Amino acid sequence: MTNLIIAYQGEPGAYSEIAALRIGEPKPFESFEEVFAAVENRAADFAVIPIENSLGGSIHQNYDLLLQHPVTIAAETFVKVEHCLLGIHGSTIANARRVLSHPQALAQCRNFFAAHKEVKAEVAYDTAGSAKIIAADNDPSKLAIASKRAGELYGLQILQENLADEEWNITRFFCISHAENTVALQLETGTDSAQYKTSIAFTLPNEPGSLFKAMATFALRGIDMTKIESRPFRKKAFEYLFYVDFTGHQSDPNIHNALCHLREFATMVNVLGSYGVVAS
């Protein structure tokens, strides 16, 4: 499937590019909005978007964009985030004064900055972008936090590996396609629909017991919910949007009935997709 064009946000060497390489030929874009537009306008066959990090939580901007564009989740994949401290050849940690990276990467490496108080964290638009910047600046006092692949691509020296505070730093990516796309992906998931997940978003009337009723539509049918999250609904003050992931495919009769039941009282139900794990 190397002929498939896979949109992603960031520079070559970004963790999103690592996810995209598992599916086809990566094509970089500056913003998530441009990534979604590329899929919507069919300038790309698929796109990979980070949706959740094991340390940083959900990426709410991308959840919002899933609701705003005619796309569907075709697969998911998981990338282990292994931050490296990078510099031009001749750089040292002792002589460093600034370290550039994406805000989330900087936040995931607090222990490093606590141990090197003379080094200032500086926000960049992207992890791989920070590596690109310091390679261009050729300044030994400036370092970057990015992937090992970014270091290789931009000819940088690895000064320290495993820089993150926690070992289990994993980003979950959704692979999205145009809602009318019929191209299949090679998935690790088998034919058993129980190996699939389904993601939905819904809103509820502001009345007693509405969330209990929503959860009961799944619980009473033995459907395993793997994630539930609420956040403010931008279209109406002090109302909330709920995101739920559960095992199974939306075409399963049991899940189909649960969704029909939910639609009887929910003010909005949007099925974001049913999907398996992309082959790595």
Side-chain angles (χ1 to χ4, degrees):
M1 287 191 292
T2 54
N3 58 326
L4 294 176
I5 302 300
I6 315 301
Y8 73 96
Q9 185 276 326
E11 298 281 357
Y15 293 103
S16 292
E17 189 207 27
I18 294 172
L21 282 165
R22 297 177 179 179
I23 305 166
E25 182 181 342
K27 183 175 181 179
F29 290 86
E30 287 189 10
S31 68
F32 290 126
E33 289 85 353
E34 290 177 271
V35 168
F36 275 81
V39 173
E40 183 176 354
N41 300 328
R42 302 181 188 274
D45 298 295
F46 294 90
V48 290
I49 56 164
I51 202 68
E52 184 178 8
N53 178 264
S54 58
L55 300 180
S58 296
I59 292 91
H60 292 128
Q61 179 187 4
N62 284 337
Y63 271 115
D64 290 340
L65 290 168
L66 283 170
L67 292 173
Q68 295 167 17
H69 293 268
V71 299
T72 188
I73 304 167
E76 68 177 346
T77 193
F78 298 84
V79 174
K80 192 167 190 294
V81 177
E82 297 176 300
H83 291 316
C84 295
L85 188 65
L86 308 172
I88 65 170
H89 288 273
S91 298
T92 64
I93 297 174
N95 293 328
R97 292 296 173 263
R98 288 190 291 169
V99 175
L100 285 68
S101 199
H102 186 275
Q104 193 171 77
L106 295 171
Q108 292 166 0
C109 300
R110 288 193 182 98
N111 291 346
F112 170 81
F113 291 103
H116 300 85
K117 298 188 184 299
E118 72 285 359
V119 178
K120 179 184 177 183
E122 185 172 310
V123 170
Y125 63 93
D126 180 48
T127 52
S130 66
K132 183 178 180 180
I133 289 168
I134 67 162
D137 288 352
N138 200 35
D139 182 349
S141 71
K142 293 168 65 174
L143 307 180
I145 295 173
S147 67
K148 183 177 182 180
R149 173 173 168 79
E152 293 169 349
L153 287 173
Y154 299 110
L156 300 174
Q157 177 183 350
I158 297 176
L159 302 180
Q160 187 175 329
E161 295 188 50
N162 303 316
L163 203 67
D165 300 341
E166 304 291 340
E167 179 182 355
W168 292 110
N169 186 357
I170 298 170
T171 297
R172 178 189 183 198
F173 288 86
F174 279 159
C175 176
I176 60 170
S177 68
H178 193 283
E180 298 177 357
N181 188 12
T182 58
V183 178
L185 288 176
Q186 183 65 44
L187 302 177
E188 291 176 354
T189 309
T191 56
D192 183 357
S193 63
Q195 294 180 277
Y196 282 79
K197 284 184 191 172
T198 297
S199 292
I200 65 172
F202 60 89
T203 54
L204 295 170
N206 188 9
E207 58 188 38
S210 61
L211 181 58
F212 175 82
K213 285 170 63 178
M215 296 299 96
T217 62
F218 301 104
L220 293 174
R221 292 175 172 85
I223 298 169
D224 181 20
M225 289 183 289
T226 59
K227 177 181 179 177
I228 177 168
E229 182 174 358
S230 67
R231 61 186 299 256
F233 187 38
R234 292 190 170 195
K235 294 185 178 180
K236 199 165 184 181
F238 302 109
E239 296 218 353
Y240 293 87
L241 188 63
F242 296 88
Y243 292 104
V244 170
D245 295 347
F246 50 84
T247 57
H249 197 283
Q250 60 185 306
S251 63
D252 296 348
N254 194 38
I255 290 173
H256 173 76
N257 292 337
L259 293 172
C260 288
H261 188 182
L262 181 61
R263 287 188 175 102
E264 290 177 6
F265 57 89
T267 51
M268 182 273 285
V269 178
N270 191 318
V271 178
L272 302 174
S274 295
Y275 49 90
V277 179
V278 72
S280 59

